[in-house]
Each structure stands twice: as structure tokens, then as C-alpha cells.
Amino acid sequence: MKKISRKKQQYFIRKSKKNFTSNKKREYKKKKKRLDDLQKRINEKRSRKFANNPNRVKHNRLTAPKNFSFLENLGETISFFEKATESFSNKTAVYFDLSQVENLTIETVTYLCAFVKNTKIVNSTPFQGNEPVNKTTKKMIIRSGFYDFVHTNRPQERIDDKYGRIINRVSRTRVEPELAGKIALSAIKHSYGSKDIKDLKKIYEILIECMANTKNHAAGNNKQKYNWWLLAYKEHTTKVTKFCFLDIGIGIFDSLEKKHKNNSLSKLFKQLFVPNDHLETLTNIFGGTRKSSVNLPGRGQGINHIYNNTQKENNIKRLVIISNDVLAEIGYNQENKIIKIDSNFKGTMYYWELNPNE
Amino acid sequence: MNKTISIANDFSTTPGARYRTDGKFSGQEFYEDILKPELDTIWNNPNHFITVDFDGTFGYASSFISEVFLRLSNDFKDKSKIKEKINFKSDEDPLLVDSVLETIDEKCES
């Protein structure tokens, strides 16, 4: 047998090691794919079983409060979603019992929609729910477009107003100025019977600021992007248009903290004696004196712009911002209310009303 | 000679956010594609001026305004000459002009 040179021997050893490693990697990938497919089939089977008969699958039945509203019943509403989150994280199926709900506000239905469509929260766990018995509330859910996003046995309804239903966009893609324009125009047409774009400037600017904030800040420092959800709900009887814009990201304050990491001793001391400087932070943001999270000139003016528009426009009523542990309520010619809440609201929610009656 | 750039007619009635990556009709797009080329043309000509007309749009995000005019200030440096060369027109929102002038005066970090 011919003797192989040392150089060639080393070459063959390296090549066989490389082949061995790449074969192992290939096997590992195949095995992982098989397991993932199997898990996916199990999840689908479980979801089908749960959909056919909830009693056949172990689940948590969560009863929504009668006053199911972040604006009017913040504590109980947040607690409801916290229980759902815990259930999903334990991979226990959830049955959302909305039958007892007598009052449901638009920001809550928007949040419910965003919540159940959030794959990170739901974690491939089956869920189901029922409708409120109360006719007004049931009608509101249908008109909001909630059923555009979930499977339902309900017959498909004719869509009269696509700009008055829940809209979802993945913010990895874009801020959508044309869509914001159409929504703002549709809103002033409903509330004021006007098509003059001079009347919608403040609404349009608020929408663009909200979209830009989500796209750029909902993920903190991560590359991951988040969805935004928007509902401009038109009340036929009162001509009021109620807006809700939200994302289930990390929230304004967690985002600022991530980008402005400051573990100095002075900050730690401050946290001991002034445990919640989020209130001060938001007050400074409203006043335009808070530095942006990226610390560059001309930045961080989005929320300040939203605040100023609300203060100047007497038709925009009751702007409410909920993020992390802060709730702020501001409006034209009224004193600001900025309070600490007991829970940590993950994400940011803006709610405001266009009210021609006041 | 005075050239008017109407954002509503020459760019979009729905101006967007800051960067091209944010979406359509961004401040960066307006500055790079419309405003800067015009200003480059007339910058050294003492008889030529530009009027930027903000009227006719749905409104402006703070990031749009700051991107356009901070870049302008950063690229052309001479702030008093910028204010001579460019007139700003905003009948629908007069306070917008003040905001633009403040942005031009803001110190830029490179």
C-alpha cells in the first residue's frame, strides 16, 4: 500500500472532521424540524379539540369583569389580562368568558384583539371565548371589527366602514401616512361632516407620532419589531369618534431605561427615596424638557407633540396614555392628571376622542 | 428669482416620519430628493431664493420637520444665509414657521 504523505494525512483528517460536523448539524436540524412539526400537529389537534368542546381540554375559564374597561376599571381589567398571560405561559388553554360584560370600551376591545393575536403571549396555546349577553356590548364588538382577526361561527358581516374598524400593521414595515390621512379624514367627516383637511391636522399628526413611536421604540434596543393596533370607532348617535392606538411592546419607560442605561450610585439612591420617577419623566416629556432616548438634537419630541396638539385643539377630548406603571390624562383647558398605577402595563396605549358636542 | 416648493403639490399631502425606512414621504426623502437639490442650485446665486410652502398637507410630525431642517442646517452650515435664501410660508399653522426656525438654530452634533 502506498504511504500517504503527512500533509495529505492532515488534509484527510480535517476534511473528515468537517464532514462529521456538517453531517451532525444536518441531522440535528432534521431532528429539530421533526420535533417542531410534531409539536405543531399536537397544538393544532389540541386547538381543534378545544374548539369543538372546551370541556375536553384542561383550561382556565377567565370571567371578564362587568365593567371591562381600562379607562373606567383599570385594576380589574389589567388583572384579567395578567391571569390570561400566566395561563398562557403555563401552556394552559384559556376560555375568555365575556358573557357577564355590561360595559366594554373601545380601547379594551382593541387590546383584547392585540393580546390574543400576540404569538409571544399566546405561545401556541389554544383559547376560545364567548360573546357578551348585553346587546349593546355585543354590537360594539361586532362593529369594531374584532371578528376580522379571530375565527368565529358568526356569519360574515358586510363591511361598511373599513376605517372605523380595528386595523393592524406590523411595524417592521412602515409608518403609514396615507392610511393615517384616510382615517383622519373619515373621522372628521363622521364627527363634523367636514372634508376640509385643515380640520384634521392635529388628528393626523397624533396618528403619525404614535406610529413612529411604536416603530422606533416599542422594541427598546432589540432588533425585534412590534405590531401596532388602531381603532377609530365612530358612535352613530353622538357623532363622537373614539381613537385607540396601542402596541404590546416594552412601554415608554422601559424603552427609555434600556436606551439610557444609568446604573450610577446617584440613580440608585434616587430610586430608594423617589421610587417612581416615571411620573417626573412623563411630566418632563410633556414639557419638552426630557432628553430623548437616543440623546440627539431634534429627537424625542413625539409625545410632546401629541401633548401640545391635545392642549391646543378644543375638539380633541380626553387624551389618555397608559404605559408601564403610569396613567396620564390630559385635555384642552384641563389640568393634567399623571398617576402611578399598581400594575405594569406592557406596551403603550393612547386613547382620545373627537367630540363635536362639547 | 423666487422658486416655490409646495410640499402638498410637489411632494405629498401626507408627509410621513423621519427616515426613508420609516415609510413613505419621509423627511429624509423630501430633503434629499427635493429641497437639497434646489438649494444646491441657488446657493451661490445671490438673486435666487426659495419659498417652502407648508400649506395644503394633512399635517407634519415633529420628526419630519426636525429631519429636514436639522439636515439642512448641518449641510449648509451658514444659518443666517439659509434664512435669507429660504422663505417659509404656513398660513394654516403660523406657529410651524417658528418651530422650523428654532430647528434650524438648534446646535447640530455630527
Side-chain angles (χ1 to χ4, degrees):
Chain A
M1 204 169 120
K2 196 179 175 183
K3 210 178 175 182
I4 307 169
S5 68
R6 191 171 168 73
K7 206 175 172 181
K8 254 196 176 163
Q9 267 183 10
Q10 284 174 342
Y11 165 75
F12 284 131
I13 291 169
R14 274 200 310 271
K15 192 171 177 190
S16 63
K17 269 186 186 171
K18 198 176 166 186
N19 285 344
F20 179 75
T21 316
S22 61
N23 283 342
K24 278 284 177 192
K25 274 186 186 169
R26 213 175 311 138
E27 274 173 34
Y28 171 75
K29 274 185 185 171
K30 269 187 192 167
K31 191 178 177 187
K32 188 171 181 307
K33 189 171 183 310
R34 268 200 313 269
L35 287 171
D36 286 346
D37 287 345
L38 179 64
Q39 187 61 50
K40 194 176 168 187
R41 282 200 302 274
I42 293 172
N43 288 340
E44 281 169 6
K45 194 177 176 187
R46 202 167 155 227
S47 296
R48 273 198 305 273
K49 217 172 157 186
F50 188 55
N52 289 334
N53 185 352
N55 295 322
R56 289 181 68 195
V57 173
K58 181 187 168 194
H59 64 277
N60 273 341
R61 190 181 186 94
L62 300 177
T63 307
K66 280 188 181 169
N67 189 2
F68 194 27
S69 167
F70 283 106
L71 298 179
E72 297 169 26
N73 188 12
L74 183 64
E76 282 189 43
T77 306
I78 289 186
S79 170
F80 174 82
F81 285 106
E82 279 175 347
K83 285 180 195 159
T85 307
E86 198 187 327
S87 201
F88 283 134
S89 67
N90 295 332
K91 288 279 204 180
T92 307
V94 173
Y95 190 92
F96 292 98
D97 182 2
L98 305 183
S99 59
Q100 310 296 317
V101 174
E102 288 171 9
N103 180 42
L104 173 63
T105 44
I106 67 121
E107 83 294 342
T108 310
V109 76
T110 313
Y111 188 85
L112 178 64
C113 194
F115 185 83
V116 299
K117 294 303 287 186
N118 188 313
T119 50
K120 283 192 209 71
I121 295 175
V122 172
N123 203 12
S124 306
T125 313
F127 64 88
Q128 222 192 109
N130 56 17
E131 281 182 330
V133 170
N134 180 293
K135 283 183 183 168
T136 315
T137 317
K138 190 194 291 195
K139 199 175 175 187
M140 190 272 227
I141 290 186
I142 296 166
R143 279 192 60 225
S144 72
F146 177 78
Y147 293 117
D148 298 343
F149 295 93
V150 296
H151 292 296
T152 175
N153 296 331
R154 174 160 270 298
Q156 258 199 341
E157 305 235 346
R158 198 184 71 173
I159 298 172
D160 288 327
D161 175 19
K162 61 180 178 180
Y163 300 121
R165 294 168 84 85
I166 294 176
I167 294 170
N168 166 232
R169 287 294 186 271
V170 175
S171 66
R172 185 191 343 267
T173 50
R174 299 286 135 110
V175 166
E176 298 207 20
E178 288 166 316
L179 175 64
K182 285 173 185 162
I183 292 169
L185 198 57
S186 173
I188 59 155
K189 197 177 162 191
H190 169 76
S191 291
Y192 299 102
S194 162
K195 284 185 192 175
D196 191 344
I197 60 169
K198 285 183 211 141
D199 294 330
L200 59 71
K201 278 186 187 289
K202 304 290 177 232
I203 312 277
Y204 174 80
E205 288 170 5
I206 291 175
L207 287 169
I208 296 291
E209 298 290 8
C210 288
M211 290 176 191
N213 277 345
T214 301
K215 197 259 176 192
N216 293 320
H217 296 302
N221 259 333
N222 292 338
K223 300 291 182 202
Q224 218 170 9
K225 306 295 180 195
Y226 286 86
N227 293 325
W228 55 251
W229 296 79
L230 166 63
L231 174 57
Y233 185 82
K234 299 174 180 104
E235 287 191 342
H236 290 318
T237 45
T238 60
K239 293 292 179 189
V240 172
T241 307
K242 295 179 175 178
F243 292 82
C244 173
F245 186 99
L246 65 88
D247 68 72
I248 306 187
I250 64 169
I252 297 169
F253 305 101
D254 286 358
S255 165
L256 287 171
E257 273 167 26
K258 265 199 169 183
K259 289 182 179 180
H260 249 318
K261 260 194 175 155
N262 180 1
N263 294 324
S264 67
L265 211 52
S266 58
K267 181 164 181 187
L268 289 170
F269 265 123
K270 194 176 175 190
Q271 275 174 341
L272 273 174
F273 296 106
V274 184
N276 192 323
D277 64 353
H278 292 171
L279 304 183
E280 193 188 328
T281 302
L282 192 59
T283 309
N284 291 339
I285 290 173
F286 284 163
T289 55
R290 176 60 163 90
K291 280 184 193 173
S292 82
S293 57
V294 295
N295 212 16
L296 289 170
R299 306 299 181 94
Q301 299 300 314
I303 296 177
N304 173 253
H305 193 199
I306 293 172
Y307 172 79
N308 288 334
N309 277 7
T310 313
Q311 293 276 298
K312 284 179 205 165
E313 181 57 57
N314 64 345
N315 295 317
I316 298 178
K317 303 292 184 243
R318 204 187 171 197
L319 174 70
V320 177
I321 303 176
I322 305 175
S323 189
N324 298 127
D325 58 353
V326 176
L327 181 146
E329 188 167 336
I330 55 181
Y332 178 77
N333 230 13
Q334 74 182 55
E335 215 176 296
N336 295 347
K337 176 175 123 181
I338 305 177
I339 58 172
K340 182 183 179 313
I341 58 179
D342 288 332
S343 324
N344 189 7
F345 182 89
K346 281 288 181 195
T348 309
M349 178 192 286
Y350 301 88
Y351 169 89
W352 68 99
E353 295 174 6
L354 198 60
N355 191 337
N357 305 314
E358 289 178 22
Chain B
M1 192 180 108
N2 193 5
K3 166 142 190 183
T4 300
I5 299 174
S6 162
I7 297 180
N9 296 328
D10 300 328
F11 182 60
S12 172
T13 51
T14 54
R18 186 179 295 275
Y19 299 122
R20 289 181 196 269
T21 49
D22 287 335
K24 282 163 98 172
F25 312 126
S26 63
Q28 182 184 9
E29 186 184 337
F30 174 71
Y31 176 72
E32 288 175 355
D33 296 355
I34 295 182
L35 186 58
K36 187 172 186 294
E38 285 296 336
L39 204 50
D40 280 335
T41 312
I42 61 125
W43 188 250
N44 293 318
N45 190 327
N47 299 320
H48 287 196
F49 305 94
I50 291 174
T51 299
V52 176
D53 182 356
F54 292 99
D55 291 332
T57 69
F58 282 36
Y60 297 93
S62 57
S63 48
F64 180 95
I65 298 293
S66 89
E67 183 62 14
V68 174
F69 296 102
L70 275 179
R71 274 194 181 229
L72 176 71
S73 179
N74 214 19
D75 288 351
F76 290 86
K77 308 273 189 262
D78 187 343
K79 291 170 191 187
S80 48
K81 191 175 176 184
I82 290 172
K83 290 176 191 175
E84 275 173 29
K85 282 292 188 188
I86 309 179
N87 299 311
F88 300 104
K89 178 179 176 286
S90 178
D91 297 332
E92 289 169 4
D93 184 6
L95 293 176
L96 180 58
V97 175
D98 296 336
S99 172
V100 165
L101 294 172
E102 269 176 33
T103 308
I104 291 170
D105 287 333
E106 211 168 314
K107 191 178 170 188
C108 286
E109 291 171 28
S110 55

